[in-house]
Amino acid sequence: MSRTAISRRSTAAVSIGFVAALILGGCSSSSAAETETGSLGSGIGSGVTSSSSALTSDNAAVSAASALLAQIPIKGRAPKTGYDRALFGTAWTDDVDVEFGHNGCDTRNDILARDLTALTYKDGNRCSVQTGTLNDQYTNTTIAFTRGQDTSSAVQIDHVVALSDAWQKGAQQLDTRTRTNLANDPRNLRAVDGPANQQKSDSDASSWLPPNRGYRCQYVAAQVEVKAAYGLWVTQAEHDTIAGILQDCTGTAPTQPPVTSPPLVTSKPVVTSAPAGAVTTPFKNCAAAKAAGAAPVRIGDPGYGAHLDGDGDGVACEK
């Protein structure tokens, strides 16, 4: 299964178009890179929505997202056995068949350029974002981004449908090319607050939602769009949470309360406990981290180093 996984039947394609409109509702363009793209998913996630008013007025788009959700199979979560980030291709590769693919820039910089404002570039190279400002959708806060070993983690790139979650819900059956597209598809990527991304980890909608309630309609609609496009499934709890949020977007009472996540109380990276032993310097390599029982190592953990974090997502030695 390759590109055919992305080309769904016509009814699903129409629904995805409505979902894209829903996700874009209330968002504003943030850079030239956004205005230059026009395919499905261009600009998705740019800007911040602090109110759901733009969504509640568009019942047709919400209904379309709900209809698309109804087409997604409901199954149990498969074992995580065999999951490896490398099975989704080289991190942030430009060699993909989705939007921004083969444009000469890696995916991480493409998303930074799409989602940040007031951009500057390293040595004038438009494929290397140096600084910018993120109006973060997940926390409804403004974050200054500066590239650097100690500062880049303030803004991270989130997979809206986490790759581990995708693996357990159908991606095992996809070929490597399609999984690589999924990992680099702008519809599935957001530049977000680093601590919020770490808090989410590989959760689905039933166990984590953005603290910014005004963005939850777009967030779950994006998950529906991606899962439908790549032939993935949802669990019953995930389905019910998403359905409830979409129903709430229309101003009616949801069938069950959406699952909420604890509010973030700090803008600093989330620090998790380290294994026993005084680790004062970064591990030399992931083999050393695993030998010490510390893998995966997150930003803020003793032993974390940027050289261990190949995909720059704040979690190193996760394979």
Side-chain angles (χ1 to χ4, degrees), residues 106-163:
D106 66 80
T107 302
R108 175 178 168 80
N109 278 286
D110 282 332
I111 301 304
L112 289 174
R114 184 195 69 181
D115 291 355
L116 273 59
T117 60
L119 297 169
T120 66
Y121 299 87
K122 183 178 181 180
D123 300 327
N125 180 359
R126 296 188 68 83
C127 288
S128 181
V129 175
Q130 183 69 23
T131 63
T133 300
L134 174 69
N135 293 321
D136 179 48
Q137 307 146 315
Y138 286 4
T139 62
N140 199 22
T141 58
T142 301
I143 303 170
F145 170 78
T146 301
R147 180 181 297 276
Q149 181 172 343
D150 299 325
T151 55
S152 289
S153 61
V155 173
Q156 298 176 15
I157 308 301
D158 178 45
H159 287 94
V160 178
V161 174
L163 300 186

Side-chain angles (χ1 to χ4, degrees), residues 13-319:
V14 172
S15 296
I16 288 175
F18 276 111
V19 173
L22 167 63
I23 298 168
L24 286 164
C27 298
S28 58
S29 179
S30 61
S31 72
E34 297 171 57
T35 59
E36 291 171 359
T37 58
S39 61
L40 180 61
S42 63
I44 291 175
S46 49
V48 62
T49 302
S50 58
S51 167
S52 61
S53 59
L55 296 171
T56 55
S57 64
D58 193 352
N59 292 352
V62 171
S63 296
S66 297
L68 190 58
L69 175 64
Q71 299 177 30
I72 298 177
I74 300 174
K75 302 181 184 180
R77 182 188 294 270
K80 191 177 178 180
T81 306
Y83 169 73
D84 191 314
R85 174 62 178 84
L87 293 170
F88 289 80
T90 302
W92 309 133
T93 178
D94 187 42
D95 183 18
V96 288
D97 307 314
V98 293
E99 186 183 4
F100 301 147
H102 302 286
N103 68 354
C105 302
D106 66 80
T107 302
R108 175 178 168 80
N109 278 286
D110 282 332
I111 301 304
L112 289 174
R114 184 195 69 181
D115 291 355
L116 273 59
T117 60
L119 297 169
T120 66
Y121 299 87
K122 183 178 181 180
D123 300 327
N125 180 359
R126 296 188 68 83
C127 288
S128 181
V129 175
Q130 183 69 23
T131 63
T133 300
L134 174 69
N135 293 321
D136 179 48
Q137 307 146 315
Y138 286 4
T139 62
N140 199 22
T141 58
T142 301
I143 303 170
F145 170 78
T146 301
R147 180 181 297 276
Q149 181 172 343
D150 299 325
T151 55
S152 289
S153 61
V155 173
Q156 298 176 15
I157 308 301
D158 178 45
H159 287 94
V160 178
V161 174
L163 300 186
S164 174
D165 179 64
W167 177 258
Q168 296 174 80
K169 297 173 183 174
Q172 294 184 39
Q173 284 74 54
L174 303 178
D175 59 38
T176 301
R177 185 68 180 179
T178 304
R179 287 195 295 263
T180 303
N181 286 337
L182 168 61
N184 293 276
D185 193 328
R187 293 175 292 180
N188 194 34
L189 299 172
R190 305 284 183 277
V192 300
D193 173 68
N197 185 42
Q198 294 178 57
Q199 185 187 66
K200 172 187 172 180
S201 186
D202 59 358
S203 299
D204 62 22
S206 68
S207 53
W208 189 90
L209 291 167
N212 176 22
R213 291 177 175 271
Y215 184 68
R216 289 181 180 178
C217 293
Q218 292 105 315
Y219 178 77
V220 299
Q223 290 190 328
V224 169
E225 180 185 16
V226 170
K227 291 206 166 186
Y230 286 89
L232 308 179
W233 67 74
V234 294
T235 63
Q236 186 67 60
E238 181 183 6
H239 172 277
D240 293 348
T241 298
I242 292 174
I245 293 172
L246 290 175
Q247 187 172 4
D248 194 38
C249 291
T250 65
T252 60
T255 55
Q256 68 177 50
V259 176
T260 59
S261 55
L264 295 176
V265 295
T266 176
S267 59
K268 297 180 180 179
V270 176
V271 179
T272 59
S273 58
V279 179
T280 58
T281 59
F283 290 109
K284 181 178 180 180
N285 51 45
C286 286
K290 292 175 182 178
V297 189
R298 301 177 183 275
I299 290 179
D301 283 352
Y304 175 88
H307 66 287
L308 304 172
D309 191 358
D311 57 6
D313 64 354
V315 183
C317 304
E318 57 201 294
K319 298 179 181 178

